[in-house]
Every structure is written in C-alpha cells, then in structure tokens.
Amino acid sequence: MTLGNPGSYDEEEENVFLETADRRLIDDELGALGYITVSEHLLWTRYDGVSNLGTSFEPRTWWDRFFDYI
C-alpha cells in the first residue's frame, strides 16, 4: 500500500499522513477481498531469498521480488 508514487514516503511520514482509523478501514476492506496489506517501507528492505532477477538488481529488495514485472 502506498500513499503516492512508490518510494514517496518513509515509515514516519506514512504514520503521519495515514491515520490509524483510515488504515484500519483499508486493511479491513482489502482483507475481506483476500488481500494482505504491507506498508510500503517494508518493501524497500533487502531481499536475500531465491529469485531469478539476475545480478542487475543488486541489492535486491522485496519490491523487486514482488513487483518488478509491473
């Protein structure tokens, strides 16, 4: 889940701009549809698992792992 363009806000800014009540509503609605929400800042952490992304993505992130194809 992102508040704008990917990479626009860090964790602290997300907590300021996305109120807890709004986050809860979004999580509930998406959960009812079978989705799991993940704060965007977590996707920018290093991914060291198995993948076929090649060496051009060093260091790889969880964003690369899940959304590189988009």
Side-chain angles (χ1 to χ4, degrees):
M1 177 166 92
T2 183
L3 296 174
N5 292 326
S8 299
Y9 301 102
D10 63 18
E11 180 180 8
E12 184 178 327
E13 291 170 317
E14 178 184 313
N15 291 333
V16 170
F17 295 128
L18 183 60
E19 295 189 25
T20 303
D22 293 335
R23 173 67 187 249
R24 195 172 304 118
L25 287 172
I26 293 167
D27 288 346
D28 290 347
E29 290 297 320
L30 290 173
L33 295 170
Y35 292 96
I36 297 172
T37 57
V38 176
S39 292
E40 183 191 354
H41 70 276
L42 296 173
L43 295 172
W44 297 109
T45 59
R46 183 175 169 80
Y47 174 77
D48 60 0
V50 177
S51 75
N52 61 355
L53 295 175
T55 58
S56 63
F57 286 94
E58 298 294 337
R60 292 176 289 218
T61 65
W62 282 95
W63 181 272
D64 298 325
R65 167 64 178 83
F66 287 109
F67 302 109
D68 174 58
Y69 65 92
I70 296 177

